[in-house]
Amino acid sequence: MPRPLGELEDAVMTRVWQWNRPVTVREVLEDLQQERSIAYTTVMTVMDNLHQKGWVRREVEGRAYRYTAVSTRAAYSAALMNQAWAQSDNPAAALVAFFGMMSPEQRESLNDAIRIVQRDTPLPAAPREAEGGEGTPRP
Protein backbone atom coordinates (compact mmCIF):
# COMPACT_ATOMS: atom_id res chain seq x y z
CA MET A 1 0.00 0.00 0.00
CA PRO A 2 1.28 3.46 -0.76
CA ARG A 3 2.09 5.88 1.95
CA PRO A 4 0.73 9.38 1.45
CA LEU A 5 2.96 11.63 -0.61
CA GLY A 6 4.66 14.49 1.17
CA GLU A 7 3.75 18.06 0.27
CA LEU A 8 6.55 18.56 -2.28
CA GLU A 9 6.19 15.02 -3.65
CA ASP A 10 2.50 15.72 -4.20
CA ALA A 11 3.24 19.04 -5.91
CA VAL A 12 5.65 17.29 -8.29
CA MET A 13 3.35 14.32 -8.94
CA THR A 14 0.40 16.67 -9.54
CA ARG A 15 2.30 18.15 -12.46
CA VAL A 16 3.38 14.77 -13.80
CA TRP A 17 -0.23 13.52 -13.61
CA GLN A 18 -1.76 16.68 -15.08
CA TRP A 19 0.67 16.96 -17.96
CA ASN A 20 0.33 13.23 -18.72
CA ARG A 21 3.56 13.10 -20.70
CA PRO A 22 7.26 12.58 -19.98
CA VAL A 23 8.62 15.60 -18.08
CA THR A 24 12.06 16.88 -17.12
CA VAL A 25 13.23 18.23 -13.78
CA ARG A 26 13.64 21.65 -15.46
CA GLU A 27 9.99 21.73 -16.60
CA VAL A 28 8.71 20.83 -13.14
CA LEU A 29 11.11 23.32 -11.53
CA GLU A 30 9.96 26.19 -13.74
CA ASP A 31 6.32 25.47 -12.99
CA LEU A 32 6.92 25.13 -9.24
CA GLN A 33 8.88 28.41 -9.20
CA GLN A 34 5.67 30.23 -10.14
CA GLU A 35 4.38 29.34 -6.65
CA ARG A 36 7.48 29.12 -4.48
CA SER A 37 11.22 29.62 -4.36
CA ILE A 38 12.83 26.22 -4.94
CA ALA A 39 16.20 24.96 -6.14
CA TYR A 40 16.82 22.72 -9.13
CA THR A 41 18.64 20.21 -6.93
CA THR A 42 15.65 19.99 -4.58
CA VAL A 43 13.29 19.10 -7.44
CA MET A 44 15.87 16.68 -8.86
CA THR A 45 16.15 14.93 -5.47
CA VAL A 46 12.36 14.70 -5.09
CA MET A 47 11.98 13.25 -8.58
CA ASP A 48 14.80 10.76 -7.93
CA ASN A 49 13.08 9.76 -4.66
CA LEU A 50 9.77 9.31 -6.50
CA HIS A 51 11.60 7.09 -8.99
CA GLN A 52 13.18 5.03 -6.19
CA LYS A 53 9.74 4.64 -4.56
CA GLY A 54 8.19 3.46 -7.83
CA TRP A 55 5.92 6.45 -8.50
CA VAL A 56 7.66 7.43 -11.75
CA ARG A 57 9.78 5.70 -14.34
CA ARG A 58 12.54 7.55 -16.13
CA GLU A 59 14.38 7.36 -19.41
CA VAL A 60 17.56 9.13 -20.40
CA GLU A 61 17.18 11.76 -23.08
CA GLY A 62 20.44 13.54 -23.85
CA ARG A 63 21.89 14.69 -20.53
CA ALA A 64 18.57 14.64 -18.68
CA TYR A 65 15.95 12.18 -17.57
CA ARG A 66 12.34 12.29 -18.68
CA TYR A 67 9.96 11.10 -15.95
CA THR A 68 6.57 9.46 -16.51
CA ALA A 69 3.94 8.51 -13.91
CA VAL A 70 3.62 4.79 -13.22
CA SER A 71 -0.08 5.05 -12.33
CA THR A 72 -2.82 7.67 -12.19
CA ARG A 73 -3.84 10.06 -9.44
CA ALA A 74 -7.17 8.22 -9.32
CA ALA A 75 -5.38 4.92 -8.61
CA TYR A 76 -3.26 6.62 -5.93
CA SER A 77 -6.35 8.14 -4.27
CA ALA A 78 -8.22 4.83 -4.43
CA ALA A 79 -5.31 2.99 -2.80
CA LEU A 80 -5.17 5.54 0.03
CA MET A 81 -8.93 5.28 0.61
CA ASN A 82 -8.76 1.49 0.56
CA GLN A 83 -5.87 1.50 3.01
CA ALA A 84 -7.70 3.81 5.42
CA TRP A 85 -10.89 1.76 5.15
CA ALA A 86 -9.03 -1.53 5.71
CA GLN A 87 -7.51 -0.17 8.93
CA SER A 88 -10.91 0.60 10.45
CA ASP A 89 -12.17 -1.68 13.19
CA ASN A 90 -15.70 -1.07 11.87
CA PRO A 91 -15.58 -0.64 8.06
CA ALA A 92 -19.36 -0.12 7.72
CA ALA A 93 -19.35 2.70 10.29
CA ALA A 94 -16.32 4.24 8.60
CA LEU A 95 -18.16 4.26 5.27
CA VAL A 96 -21.27 5.79 6.82
CA ALA A 97 -19.16 8.53 8.42
CA PHE A 98 -17.28 9.09 5.14
CA PHE A 99 -20.48 9.32 3.10
CA GLY A 100 -21.87 11.75 5.69
CA MET A 101 -18.93 14.09 5.00
CA MET A 102 -19.57 14.15 1.27
CA SER A 103 -21.03 17.09 -0.57
CA PRO A 104 -24.05 16.49 -2.80
CA GLU A 105 -21.71 16.62 -5.82
CA GLN A 106 -19.44 13.99 -4.28
CA ARG A 107 -22.42 11.76 -3.52
CA GLU A 108 -23.54 12.07 -7.13
CA SER A 109 -20.03 11.06 -8.23
CA LEU A 110 -20.26 8.09 -5.89
CA ASN A 111 -23.61 7.09 -7.39
CA ASP A 112 -22.12 7.40 -10.89
CA ALA A 113 -19.18 5.20 -9.87
CA ILE A 114 -21.49 2.56 -8.39
CA ARG A 115 -23.54 2.49 -11.60
CA ILE A 116 -20.37 2.04 -13.66
CA VAL A 117 -19.09 -0.78 -11.46
CA GLN A 118 -22.47 -2.51 -11.46
CA ARG A 119 -22.71 -2.20 -15.24
CA ASP A 120 -19.16 -3.49 -15.80
CA THR A 121 -19.25 -6.30 -13.23
CA PRO A 122 -21.28 -9.33 -14.22
CA LEU A 123 -23.63 -10.55 -11.53
CA PRO A 124 -22.99 -14.06 -10.23
CA ALA A 125 -25.32 -16.65 -11.67
CA ALA A 126 -28.36 -17.27 -9.48
CA PRO A 127 -28.57 -20.77 -8.05
CA ARG A 128 -30.84 -22.94 -10.14
CA GLU A 129 -33.95 -24.19 -8.43
CA ALA A 130 -34.79 -27.87 -8.53
CA GLU A 131 -36.87 -28.40 -11.60
CA GLY A 132 -40.04 -30.45 -11.78
CA GLY A 133 -41.14 -32.33 -14.91
CA GLU A 134 -41.16 -30.47 -18.25
CA GLY A 135 -38.59 -27.97 -16.95
CA THR A 136 -40.98 -25.94 -14.82
CA PRO A 137 -39.96 -24.85 -11.31
CA ARG A 138 -41.60 -26.63 -8.44
CA PRO A 139 -44.12 -24.63 -6.43
Side-chain angles (χ1 to χ4, degrees), residues 17 130 133:
W17 282 319

Side-chain angles (χ1 to χ4, degrees), residues 30-134:
E30 289 173 358
D31 200 59
L32 284 170
Q33 285 179 330
Q34 295 176 27
E35 300 172 0
R36 63 177 90 188
S37 176
I38 190 166
Y40 179 92
T41 53
T42 301
V43 177
M44 182 176 64
T45 299
V46 169
M47 293 186 82
D48 185 60
N49 289 344
L50 289 167
H51 175 257
Q52 298 300 322
K53 293 176 181 180
W55 288 106
V56 293
R57 67 178 61 88
R58 65 185 181 194
E59 293 183 20
V60 176
E61 184 177 291
R63 295 179 51 205
Y65 285 114
R66 287 218 174 256
Y67 294 84
T68 308
V70 170
S71 68
T72 64
R73 175 168 295 277
Y76 165 69
S77 298
L80 289 178
M81 288 187 288
N82 188 53
Q83 182 179 16
W85 186 43
Q87 292 175 348
S88 173
D89 61 346
N90 187 339
L95 281 176
V96 169
F98 179 62
F99 297 157
M101 293 180 209
M102 291 179 151
S103 69
E105 294 80 16
Q106 290 170 321
R107 278 193 223 100
E108 185 58 34
S109 293
L110 175 64
N111 287 330
D112 291 344
I114 290 170
R115 282 190 290 276
I116 290 167
V117 170
Q118 288 175 336
R119 181 190 69 213
D120 294 345
T121 306
L123 295 173
R128 293 183 62 161
E129 294 185 33
E131 295 183 7
E134 305 288 322

